[in-house]
Amino acid sequence: ASGDLAEIAEGLSEEIVDALTMTRALRVRPLASVRAAVKGEGGAVKEIDSRELGQQLGVEVVVDGSIRKRGPQVRITARAIGVADGFQLWASHFDCGHDGLLAVGDEVVRAIARALVVEIDVPERGALDARIAERYLEGKARLRAGWLEGNVREVIDSLDQVLPDAPTDPRVLATLAMALARSGFYGNAFDLSRARQLADRALAVAPTFGEAQLARAIIHFYDGETPAAASMLRRTVKILPGCAL
């Protein structure tokens, strides 16, 4: 399969965290907090015990996992560790093709919720072709990594290649809109104009989709429309309280 599996894992982790934050029964630390806790010298990820990580984050349960290629498929392994005693509460693995990455991510979310004895409503989302799903997940990871420096052209070029095959998918539209908005912030007026169009298309398809609302809020802010940006961000935080770039 094309693409860096580490970036796909990063994007899928964000999808899982976003879904888990949608239930009032759970309070989920955003990935930004986890990344800060495990970052070692030079930005490399350091080895850290789940109990120690949980204590640093002030949480009761730590969920970790991995993703590996198994021939034409990938295997996602996930487990939940109790911070108080270090016991493993739950573990499972999920096999899928690359076209099922997003669907299996939702399955992982439901399994985690069952293990923690909470109810969660994960909305059904349309399937994406394997190539599009990979580009979307990679794009999310690369967008976050390049946000501060405005290094997002690779994200734009990659998602532009699959946009004709997913012209109404709010995930692709919103991620591309955010990348274009960031490029526009660094002086490319055409990219900011395109970002507005794509974010509005994403909201027209999925008015309550958190990433589409976040994209539109960012664009309002870059346009100097601070009240509109603040209003949209309040809506975004209600849907995705742990969202962060």
Side-chain angles (χ1 to χ4, degrees):
S2 64
D4 186 342
L5 204 58
E7 290 179 333
I8 292 174
E10 187 81 5
L12 192 58
S13 296
E14 293 186 19
E15 289 278 303
I16 291 171
V17 169
D18 286 349
L20 286 171
T21 61
M22 292 180 187
T23 174
R24 296 182 184 275
L26 294 175
R27 296 178 64 196
V28 183
R29 292 289 188 194
L31 277 178
S33 299
V34 179
R35 293 182 186 115
V38 300
K39 187 175 291 186
E41 294 184 7
V45 176
K46 63 182 179 182
E47 292 291 332
I48 186 169
D49 178 75
S50 294
R51 293 184 68 186
E52 181 184 346
L53 175 61
Q55 289 164 3
Q56 287 187 32
L57 296 172
V59 298
E60 297 177 2
V61 177
V62 170
V63 177
D64 66 12
S66 63
I67 179 170
R68 294 182 175 86
K69 288 183 179 179
R70 293 173 62 87
Q73 292 193 313
V74 294
R75 166 163 289 189
I76 296 172
T77 302
R79 61 177 185 158
I81 308 295
V83 173
D85 54 19
F87 284 112
Q88 185 165 293
L89 306 175
W90 163 85
S92 190
H93 64 260
F94 308 81
D95 294 323
C96 68
H98 285 254
D99 57 345
L101 283 167
L102 294 175
V104 84
D106 291 343
E107 188 178 344
V108 172
V109 169
R110 295 188 184 97
I112 293 170
R114 287 194 299 269
L116 300 179
V117 198
V118 298
E119 293 184 5
I120 189 169
D121 181 20
V122 180
E124 292 296 329
R125 301 181 296 179
L128 282 179
D129 173 83
R131 173 169 158 265
I132 300 172
E134 287 184 14
R135 293 290 180 90
Y136 164 64
L137 293 172
E138 290 167 358
K140 288 187 69 169
R142 291 173 182 172
L143 179 60
R144 179 194 57 76
W147 186 264
L148 292 179
E149 296 80 18
N151 184 21
V152 296
R153 180 52 55 184
E154 186 179 2
V155 178
I156 294 170
D157 293 343
S158 178
L159 291 179
D160 262 337
Q161 291 177 21
V162 297
L163 183 62
D165 297 319
T168 60
D169 188 275
R171 295 161 289 194
V172 175
L173 290 169
T175 304
L176 180 54
M178 281 190 276
L180 286 163
R182 194 58 175 168
S183 176
F185 175 76
Y186 280 88
N188 192 325
F190 174 74
D191 280 353
L192 189 56
S193 176
R194 264 197 86 205
R196 289 189 208 101
Q197 297 172 10
L198 292 175
D200 288 343
R201 278 168 57 186
L203 285 170
V205 173
T208 61
F209 183 50
E211 289 183 17
Q213 293 189 359
L214 177 59
R216 200 63 186 88
I218 290 169
I219 295 162
H220 278 310
F221 181 70
Y222 289 164
D223 279 336
E225 301 166 350
T226 307
S231 176
M232 187 66 80
L233 282 173
R234 281 193 290 269
R235 287 185 237 169
T236 305
V237 170
K238 286 182 180 178
I239 298 171
L240 298 175
C243 72
L245 285 170

